[in-house]
Amino acid sequence: MIEFIVSNWLIILLLIALFLIVLKYTKGNTKNYKELLNQGAIIIDVRTESEYKSGHIKNSINVPLKDLTYRINEFDKKDNIVTVCAAGVRAESAKKFFESRGYNVANGG
């Protein structure tokens, strides 16, 4: 039993770190994305195409994170944007990418 715990402690630490990262990115962001949604924001799902096909938010647009750099011109800077993914980490990366280019965006988690 001790051997099992010792051999898997790194995995346990990585899972805890991932949880804390997700918590950091999604905490305190609720009001911002809800306000944008109430104003008719575009929801951009940055998961892979297969993840998106397995289930997604109605009327969301699938733009996998890896494709965002060459598809960003599909969106107007006047639009409000909410990015989403499975856990919020990729959505946060997309949010930062959009913000660096002058878009009004929030991480929806």
Side-chain angles (χ1 to χ4, degrees):
M1 181 68 175
I2 299 286
E3 191 175 294
F4 174 79
I5 293 172
V6 171
S7 65
N8 290 309
W9 79 275
L10 184 58
I11 294 170
I12 293 168
L13 285 176
L14 288 172
L15 289 173
I16 291 170
L18 179 62
F19 173 76
L20 292 174
I21 290 168
V22 169
L23 187 63
K24 176 186 173 192
Y25 284 133
T26 57
K27 187 177 180 183
N29 199 20
T30 305
K31 185 176 180 185
N32 191 14
Y33 87 80
K34 285 184 178 179
E35 287 175 8
L36 291 180
L37 288 175
N38 288 335
Q39 297 169 7
I42 297 169
I43 301 172
I44 300 177
D45 189 323
V46 295
R47 296 176 301 156
T48 64
E49 186 177 346
S50 62
E51 287 176 296
Y52 183 80
K53 286 180 179 179
S54 72
H56 57 272
I57 298 171
K58 185 179 179 182
N59 298 323
S60 63
I61 300 168
N62 182 225
V63 181
L65 187 60
K66 67 177 183 61
D67 299 339
L68 191 56
T69 55
Y70 67 86
R71 290 190 57 192
I72 193 165
N73 293 331
E74 295 176 20
F75 307 100
D76 193 315
K77 289 185 180 181
K78 296 176 190 171
D79 294 330
N80 293 320
I81 296 171
V82 174
T83 57
V84 297
C85 69
V89 177
R90 288 176 284 181
E92 183 66 19
S93 294
K95 174 185 167 257
K96 289 180 179 181
F97 180 77
F98 275 111
E99 284 178 334
S100 71
R101 284 149 181 83
Y103 290 80
N104 186 27
V105 61
N107 179 350

